[in-house]
Amino acid sequence: MSTQGKAHLEVHGLEIAKFANLSGIENIYDTTAEHAYRLARMVDTEDAEAVFLSGTGMPTVTVLEALEQDLGKPVLSSASAMMWHALRLAGVGQAIAGYGRLLTLR
């Protein structure tokens, strides 16, 4: 997440416990799900209520459920939030298991 992204979330009332960027990677489309997993583990803190992975180009959805199990808290990403919203706009309201808690919300 960039400092601009952090500031945007804070302006909207979210408290950011810790944030970081993908260091050494110039293009988000060159990342892997393993990068996303490691980044989430790196930014998690004991007092954080959830973890958010920003960047729709980062492949996150396949690791969200494992991260939630490992961290014991919700893990969301730009991609999962966009997918949840698109499904709701399309009238799809059923829970979709395997991609984190957000997609199981009705």
Side-chain angles (χ1 to χ4, degrees):
M1 175 186 306
S2 68
T3 54
Q4 288 176 322
K6 178 181 180 287
H8 177 78
L9 293 174
E10 289 173 333
V11 163
H12 288 85
L14 296 172
E15 181 181 335
I16 310 302
K18 184 176 180 182
F19 81 102
N21 293 323
L22 287 167
S23 60
I25 297 174
E26 293 183 26
N27 186 340
I28 197 165
Y29 296 103
D30 292 335
T31 61
T32 65
E34 291 77 24
H35 286 121
Y37 182 90
R38 286 195 305 270
L39 180 62
R41 295 293 304 242
M42 182 177 69
V43 299
D44 182 40
T45 63
E46 189 175 315
D47 59 328
E49 295 178 18
V51 173
F52 174 61
L53 294 165
S54 179
T56 54
M58 186 172 26
T60 56
V61 292
T62 60
V63 295
L64 295 176
E65 189 163 315
L67 279 164
E68 288 184 341
Q69 291 173 4
D70 293 348
L71 302 178
K73 61 185 72 173
V75 180
L76 305 112
S77 71
S78 299
S80 68
M82 186 172 51
M83 188 181 328
W84 179 89
H85 186 65
L87 289 167
R88 295 314 173 266
L89 286 175
V92 178
Q94 76 244 26
I96 301 172
Y99 300 101
R101 291 182 211 183
L102 179 62
L103 290 174
T104 64
L105 298 176
R106 299 178 135 249

